[in-house]
Amino acid sequence: MTANHNKMSDSIKTSYFSSRLLKTFCLVLLIQGCSFFGGDEEEAFDQPAELVDFTPALDVDREWKTSIGKGHEGLDLMLRPDTDGETIYAASFDGNVMAISMQSGKKLWKESFDVAFTAGPTYRNGILVLGTNDGELLALDSMTGDTIWMSEVTSEVLAPVAIKDESIFVRSVDGNLMSYSVNDGSVNWTSSHDVPRLSLRGTSAPVVISNAVICGFDDGKVTAYDLTDGSLLWETMLTPPGGRTEIEKVSDIDAPLVIYGNEVYAGSYQGALAALAIESGNIIWLTEASLHAGMDVDDDVVFASEANGTIRALSRFTGREVWKKETLLHRYPTAPAIIGDAIVVGDLEGYLHWLSKEDGEMLQRASIGSDKITSSPLVIGDSIYVQTDGGNLFSVKAPNESSR
């Protein structure tokens, strides 16, 4: 089925995206140290750390593989599968949405749309919601894939939406956070943040708890709004922008926020990782860090992937460093996902790495192809579901406890 609709072609919008794309392209080149001038013989980019041999301490089996659609290499999109507990839902950059049996990998239904999906899907209460690069929001029936409604967003959507009760919360790249009606896609409210002249490609996904929706923004602030009317509840700056140049001042909060207990954990690029009180936004602890991919949290520890590939474990209560590993430097590890006594991350060459939660030692490594893995693995029980930038979805099974 193809969704027929009129795409926005407003010249202002085209100019906005062209300008932002150019800024993002230049920023990536500058951050990675690429030089267009002179005869410097140095490597233009940091080389990924070589993978070293070790003695595996986990048994891992690949269960099944399914092609979702065309890949999105180089775009670093957060196309991450979601689940209702029995079915995995996944989308591709070239407009495919699929429902897949968790156990067998069998395709239950597939629908194709004339759009480029860049975020989602998010599942909740029988519906799937996805965002596109043309600033569109689609709601689908999770049982059939049929379109329920489609609405326009003010700009590209690069992060999965959040859904609570009758509202859908969407963060767009122009700094807006919007609330939409689950029933018909109408706009409930909009709140805006300034977007710096330069920022990384990506946005933080909104999270909801109780009466609040919380989101990170490109200006380095974490902000909480009332779910019903969008009124400001609190706002916290993780760290003021530093540095002398525009590049050094980049401090986007693109890493997904994590809510655990009475705290929200947030990390910024070239800034900090912090624990904030949910009710007030007050900083409980803060430590210098540079996050882009994200983190995961358990009862005692925050596990984070830093922008340079360092994996860190910090005390959830004090922010004190428990351990740090640099074995994946410049391999662009995904946000960690906790599974049993381990955390698992993907990397730029299609490897999955299991690290001990206790000390960060490597427990297992598995290749699921050569395509980069940008989105963090989805952990359900003792199975891991991973969507690669090449458009493939893998199911990998690992035990719940290490046998070190």
Side-chain angles (χ1 to χ4, degrees):
M1 180 178 72
T2 300
N4 296 317
H5 56 272
N6 295 322
K7 295 186 176 181
M8 291 184 287
S9 58
D10 185 273
S11 60
I12 296 177
K13 182 183 176 185
T14 302
S15 175
Y16 169 82
F17 282 118
S18 298
S19 173
R20 185 171 177 85
L21 181 61
L22 177 60
K23 290 174 182 177
T24 304
F25 176 72
C26 292
L27 179 59
V28 170
L29 288 177
L30 289 168
I31 286 175
Q32 293 183 333
C34 183
S35 174
F36 291 101
F37 310 103
D40 196 339
E41 297 298 326
E42 294 183 3
E43 290 291 331
F45 301 96
D46 290 316
Q47 294 299 307
E50 292 187 8
L51 300 179
V52 299
D53 293 336
F54 65 97
T55 301
L58 291 178
D59 294 324
V60 174
D61 297 313
R62 198 174 89 178
E63 297 183 294
W64 50 258
K65 169 188 173 183
T66 297
S67 176
I68 306 301
K70 183 180 179 181
H72 54 272
E73 291 285 353
L75 296 180
D76 289 342
L77 302 180
M78 300 301 284
L79 288 173
R80 184 174 187 259
D82 204 353
T83 181
D84 61 7
E86 296 182 353
T87 303
I88 295 290
Y89 304 99
S92 66
F93 181 63
D94 61 343
N96 294 333
V97 185
M98 292 177 61
I100 302 151
S101 167
M102 284 180 56
Q103 299 300 321
S104 66
K106 178 182 178 182
K107 181 176 65 179
L108 304 178
W109 56 255
K110 174 184 175 181
E111 297 294 345
S112 297
F113 300 85
D114 186 22
V115 299
F117 289 120
T118 48
T122 298
Y123 168 84
R124 194 74 76 244
N125 299 327
I127 68 168
L128 302 172
V129 181
L130 305 97
T132 78
N133 73 334
D134 271 343
E136 298 146 325
L137 201 64
L138 271 73
L140 311 179
D141 186 312
S142 66
M143 294 295 293
T144 63
D146 292 340
T147 302
I148 301 174
W149 50 257
M150 185 190 70
S151 291
E152 291 185 351
V153 183
T154 53
S155 63
E156 186 178 18
V157 181
L158 291 178
V161 307
I163 306 175
K164 175 74 179 294
D165 299 330
E166 300 301 311
S167 297
I168 300 168
F169 302 95
V170 185
R171 165 79 158 88
S172 53
V173 300
D174 58 358
N176 287 336
L177 178 66
M178 294 152 285
S179 170
Y180 287 78
S181 167
V182 165
N183 299 316
D184 59 12
S186 58
V187 179
N188 297 323
W189 53 260
T190 300
S191 182
S192 299
H193 266 248
D194 291 335
V195 178
R197 292 203 311 169
L198 285 180
S199 62
L200 299 177
R201 178 173 173 81
T203 57
S204 179
V207 292
V208 294
I209 185 169
S210 186
N211 69 323
V213 54
I214 308 173
C215 195
F217 292 89
D218 293 345
D219 56 7
K221 296 177 181 177
V222 181
T223 310
Y225 300 95
D226 185 274
L227 290 177
T228 56
D229 59 13
S231 58
L232 180 67
L233 299 177
W234 54 258
E235 183 170 81
T236 301
M237 172 73 78
L238 287 194
T239 51
R244 295 171 297 176
T245 68
E246 293 297 323
I247 299 293
E248 293 172 342
K249 292 178 181 178
V250 172
S251 58
D252 301 34
I253 299 177
D254 289 340
L257 308 180
V258 176
I259 291 177
Y260 200 98
N262 295 317
E263 297 85 44
V264 56
Y265 297 86
S268 61
Y269 183 79
Q270 298 185 145
L273 173 59
L276 312 176
I278 286 179
E279 291 187 356
S280 63
N282 290 339
I283 295 176
I284 300 171
W285 57 259
L286 180 146
T287 186
E288 184 176 346
S290 181
L291 267 64
H292 184 61
M295 72 199 89
D296 204 355
V297 182
D298 70 5
D299 289 344
D300 301 309
V301 181
V302 178
F303 302 96
S305 294
E306 295 224 50
N308 69 352
T310 299
I311 309 295
R312 296 174 67 190
L314 307 170
S315 167
R316 179 188 156 212
F317 307 105
T318 66
R320 179 183 62 84
E321 187 170 275
V322 178
W323 54 257
K324 178 173 73 173
K325 292 295 178 180
E326 298 182 334
T327 52
L328 301 178
L329 279 179
H330 312 304
R331 298 190 68 85
Y332 297 94
T334 67
I338 295 171
I339 178 166
D341 293 334
I343 59 171
V344 60
V345 299
D347 75 6
L348 81 169
E349 293 182 329
Y351 285 97
L352 291 173
H353 307 268
W354 283 258
L355 284 72
S356 166
K357 287 170 55 177
E358 180 182 358
D359 56 17
E361 289 300 308
M362 192 69 67
L363 300 177
Q364 183 57 278
R365 178 192 304 141
S367 174
I368 58 171
S370 59
D371 296 317
K372 183 181 180 182
I373 304 170
T374 296
S375 295
S376 62
L378 173 66
V379 175
I380 307 294
D382 57 1
S383 291
I384 299 166
Y385 302 90
V386 184
Q387 184 168 345
T388 69
D389 291 12
N392 293 314
L393 180 67
F394 293 85
S395 173
V396 180
K397 196 176 188 67
N400 277 321
E401 294 184 355
S402 71
S403 56
R404 297 182 65 199

